[in-house]
Amino acid sequence: MKLNSDQVLEFYKGKKHSVRIRTDSGQTLSIPYDILLKFVTREGIYGRFEITYGDDGKLLDLVRLS
């Protein structure tokens, strides 16, 4: 995931509410921005992440891998 500080600012201003990402396998996912808040730095949000879903399809956890 690569979001620079200007892109992150769009979420703080309320202009956007979710982040659309493409997985390594080519799937497109929409992740609510509030799930990403713990990963925000002055530079933005950068890194590889692992997403865990429950049997019901709801997001259970998001962990930064690098």
Side-chain angles (χ1 to χ4, degrees), residues 40-57:
V40 175
T41 68
R42 294 178 115 190
E43 292 78 30
I45 303 173
Y46 292 92
R48 292 180 55 81
F49 294 84
E50 180 178 81
I51 300 171
T52 305
Y53 289 97
D55 292 335
D56 58 0

Side-chain angles (χ1 to χ4, degrees), residues 31-32 35 38 50-63:
I31 300 175
I35 301 293
K38 63 184 176 181
E50 180 178 81
I51 300 171
T52 305
Y53 289 97
D55 292 335
D56 58 0
K58 291 186 180 180
L59 189 140
L60 291 177
D61 197 17
L62 181 68
V63 176

Side-chain angles (χ1 to χ4, degrees), residues 3-50:
L3 293 172
N4 65 38
S5 57
D6 290 333
Q7 291 169 310
V8 169
L9 188 57
E10 295 295 310
F11 295 98
Y12 279 108
K13 289 180 178 179
K15 293 183 178 181
K16 296 185 178 183
H17 302 286
S18 63
V19 177
R20 188 162 247 172
I21 61 165
R22 185 171 312 267
T23 67
D24 290 341
S25 64
Q27 294 175 308
T28 301
L29 302 175
S30 183
I31 300 175
Y33 179 69
D34 59 336
I35 301 293
L36 300 170
L37 285 174
K38 63 184 176 181
F39 302 109
V40 175
T41 68
R42 294 178 115 190
E43 292 78 30
I45 303 173
Y46 292 92
R48 292 180 55 81
F49 294 84
E50 180 178 81

